Amino acid sequence: MQMENKLEYTDDLFVRTNKKYKEEVSVARHSVWRDIKKELLSNKIAVICLVILCVIIIASFLAPLSPYDPNAIDVTHKLEGPSSAHWFGTDDYGRDYFTRALYGGRVSLTVGFSAMIVTVILGTAIGVISGYVGGKLDILMMRFTDIFLALPSMLLMIVLNMLSPGLVTLILVLSLFSWASVARITRAETMSLKERDFVVASKNLGAGNILIAVKHIVPNIMGPVTVAASLG
């Protein structure tokens, strides 16, 4: 006679696991500006050029510390060569060349940086809107951009500056005829980026168009925009 082993299932035979295991994943925050900084510091020539540019900017803004008046005429020291007193020498009227170069650098840097900032802001805004929205708005904005690309910019710059000479006019005129090329570049980059997976994922998660443009599109097109602005 076979004896059957009967096993009674009780609560003591089971182990209840009420612990929640949490997996901590460390994700390195990836930033476009961090990549730019890394690439810049890895390029020795770029670092040297940046240092030289910073020295020129600082020296230009410290021009009032020079002991010479850039417009003071001193015929007793005219046409002197470089010396410890006059590092770049003097001109036909005895004015210090180095001091005049510093004051001239202030004007050049002000015009250059101001025009570049206006150009980048205007060109990037028009290019991103045109490329992201597309459709009839894209066609209309690009035809408007083509008009500025077709105009004889140098001639119009001279004429407009003659009608209303001044520093502000010069900045506005330079910006007016430089934003079109930046807009073209940003439009092309935006049309490519808006089809990428991270942009599509942001849309599906409910992100608005403005947030996507500011957070995902603009930071990723700053490379080509910077190159276009520096060449312009």
Side-chain angles (χ1 to χ4, degrees):
M1 182 175 182
Q2 295 181 353
M3 298 181 62
E4 295 181 359
N5 295 327
K6 294 183 179 180
L7 182 62
E8 295 182 358
Y9 294 95
T10 61
D11 293 339
D12 297 335
L13 297 177
F14 298 94
V15 178
R16 296 182 179 181
T17 58
N18 294 324
K19 297 181 180 180
K20 294 181 179 180
Y21 296 95
K22 295 181 180 180
E23 183 180 359
E24 295 181 359
V25 180
S26 60
V27 180
R29 298 181 65 86
H30 195 73
S31 173
V32 176
W33 303 110
R34 184 178 297 177
D35 291 342
I36 294 174
K37 180 181 178 181
K38 182 179 179 180
E39 290 294 331
L40 178 63
L41 296 178
S42 63
N43 191 333
K44 295 182 179 179
I45 297 178
V47 173
I48 294 173
C49 293
L50 181 62
V51 172
I52 294 174
L53 180 61
C54 291
V55 170
I56 293 174
I57 293 174
I58 294 172
S60 298
F61 281 97
L62 294 179
L65 298 179
S66 175
Y68 302 101
D69 187 341
N71 298 316
I73 298 176
D74 186 6
V75 293
T76 59
H77 295 89
K78 66 177 183 179
L79 299 176
E80 290 186 358
S83 62
S84 58
H86 302 282
W87 291 1
F88 289 177
T90 59
D91 62 3
D92 297 341
Y93 299 99
R95 297 174 296 190
D96 184 65
Y97 268 133
F98 181 70
T99 303
R100 291 178 64 81
L102 292 179
Y103 277 93
R106 299 178 74 184
V107 177
S108 299
L109 289 172
T110 301
V111 173
F113 278 106
S114 300
M116 182 189 68
I117 292 172
V118 176
T119 298
V120 169
I121 293 175
L122 185 60
T124 302
I126 293 176
V128 170
I129 294 172
S130 178
Y132 189 78
V133 176
K136 293 182 179 180
L137 181 63
D138 179 32
I139 297 173
L140 180 62
M141 296 182 75
M142 284 302 100
R143 298 299 76 78
F144 179 73
T145 304
D146 291 339
I147 293 174
F148 281 87
L149 289 173
L151 291 174
S153 58
M154 185 59 67
L155 178 60
L156 291 175
M157 286 181 187
I158 296 173
V159 172
L160 292 175
N161 198 38
M162 288 176 60
L163 295 176
S164 179
L167 198 62
V168 177
T169 303
L170 182 59
I171 293 172
L172 293 177
V173 168
L174 289 173
S175 305
L176 185 64
F177 295 100
S178 301
W179 65 267
S181 58
V182 177
R184 277 288 187 181
I185 294 173
T186 55
R187 171 184 175 268
E189 293 293 327
T190 302
M191 293 179 68
S192 174
L193 284 171
K194 73 177 183 179
E195 303 297 335
R196 299 286 181 87
D197 292 339
F198 62 92
V199 176
V200 176
S202 298
K203 288 181 181 179
N204 295 332
L205 290 173
N209 293 329
I210 297 177
L211 179 63
I212 292 174
V214 173
K215 189 175 181 180
H216 297 295
I217 303 257
V218 174
N220 284 285
I221 63 175
M222 288 310 298
V225 169
T226 303
V227 174
S230 61
L231 293 177

